[in-house]
Amino acid sequence: MAGDTIRRDRDGDVLTLTVDRPDALNALNTDVLEELLDAVESADARVLVITGAGDDAFIAGADIAYMQDLSTPEAQAYAELGHRVTNAIEEYPGAVVAAVNGYAFGGGCEVALAADLRVASNNAVLGQTEIDLGIVPGWGGTQRLSRIVGDAVARRMVFFGERVDAEDAQRLGLVGEVVAQGELDDYVAEMSQELAEKPAFALRSAKEALNQVHEMPQSAGLAFERRLWSGMFGTHDQREGMEAFVEKRDPEFE
Ligand code: COA
């Protein structure tokens, strides 16, 4: 899909997708959402980074001006599109890092929640602020938030529409790290490069297994893990990783 609101920057095995609509603080209208969906679905990099253009916002949310007059069927289609985007991020067959470089409200927070890892700049503010617009989170926030920060914190954030600064977000486990605004790109680039050098099949499998935690009962999850784990034996990376350890050298993964 041709479009100009998602920038793609490739650096080796790392692809950075930048939501580039700074005039609206990178708010996601349907065009941007569709473009983001296409960018995620067509990506083939080992690591995906998602961030926002400019110094102020990661993504300030779903587009409020667009949403204000939606009918229920139109809202349903918008929610489905938002779910397709966040599910595509969650199921991406490689690591996804959200570089949260400013406001991440509503749908912006939900995009970040779908990523595997979240790194925030010290000016970032996150929140599921929908309550103050008379609605609730609709792109996965009612489900993913509590799985990440726990039920009590999620209820407080959603009920009050709380806006959480970067430091508090880290304390709550909403983001993994906080770095100075000017250092975010370098920090994320280094982290992504390290992830890209991990054995790709093992990393993808680890993600797949961790994603099952909320999809099935533990006994089924353990069976899933056993199958996945034993299926790795005989792969190049398993042979190489263990041989390299025994031979006291660095492994060379595929
Ligand atoms: N949807 C559509 N447009 C948005 C937007 C959104 N979610 N968030 C910001 N914008 C637009 C503003 O309308 C404004 O456009 P304008 O210059 O044409 O008037 C522009 O982005 C800049 O926003 P502004 O509010 O002037 O910037 P600010 O620095 O004073 O405040 C925020 C920044 C993020 C605190 C404020 O814009 C905000 O609260 N946005 C809504 C966040 C939200 O509730 N998101 C959840 C949606 S589900």
Side-chain angles (χ1 to χ4, degrees), residues 55-164:
D55 295 329
D56 299 323
F58 171 67
I59 297 167
D63 191 307
I64 301 167
Y66 167 74
M67 285 190 294
Q68 63 177 337
D69 293 323
L70 292 185
S71 63
T72 290
E74 288 166 338
Q76 176 144 8
Y78 197 39
E80 277 167 13
L81 182 56
H83 280 180
R84 285 179 68 197
V85 171
T86 47
N87 288 343
I89 293 168
E90 188 171 70
E91 289 159 17
Y92 183 74
V96 183
V97 181
V100 183
N101 58 324
Y103 300 121
F105 293 141
C109 190
E110 288 164 310
V111 166
L113 292 175
D116 296 295
L117 301 162
R118 285 161 290 283
V119 183
S121 55
N122 56 358
N123 64 318
V125 190
L126 298 92
Q128 295 298 159
T129 53
E130 291 88 343
I131 193 97
D132 293 323
L133 298 169
I135 57 171
V136 299
W139 294 352
T142 63
Q143 304 302 303
R144 292 192 180 98
L145 183 63
S146 66
R147 287 168 182 174
I148 292 170
V149 299
D151 183 73
V153 173
R155 278 172 204 265
R156 202 185 66 217
M157 285 181 66
V158 171
F159 286 6
F160 289 99
E162 204 176 333
R163 297 176 179 216
V164 176

Side-chain angles (χ1 to χ4, degrees), residues 27-50:
L28 300 175
N29 60 21
T30 47
D31 287 347
V32 187
L33 264 184
E34 277 169 10
E35 223 190 299
L36 181 57
L37 179 63
D38 179 66
V40 174
E41 286 184 339
S42 62
D44 61 355
R46 288 182 176 217
V47 180
L48 212 53
V49 175
I50 300 178

Side-chain angles (χ1 to χ4, degrees), residues 183-221:
E183 291 166 18
L184 183 67
D185 289 350
D186 285 348
Y187 186 92
V188 170
E190 202 174 309
M191 174 192 242
S192 303
Q193 189 51 43
E194 197 177 329
L195 287 167
E197 286 167 13
K198 295 290 181 198
F201 180 62
L203 189 79
R204 203 162 64 227
S205 302
K207 172 169 178 167
E208 218 177 304
L210 287 160
N211 279 358
Q212 297 308 313
V213 169
H214 302 289
E215 300 293 339
M216 48 177 73
Q218 181 163 295
S219 56

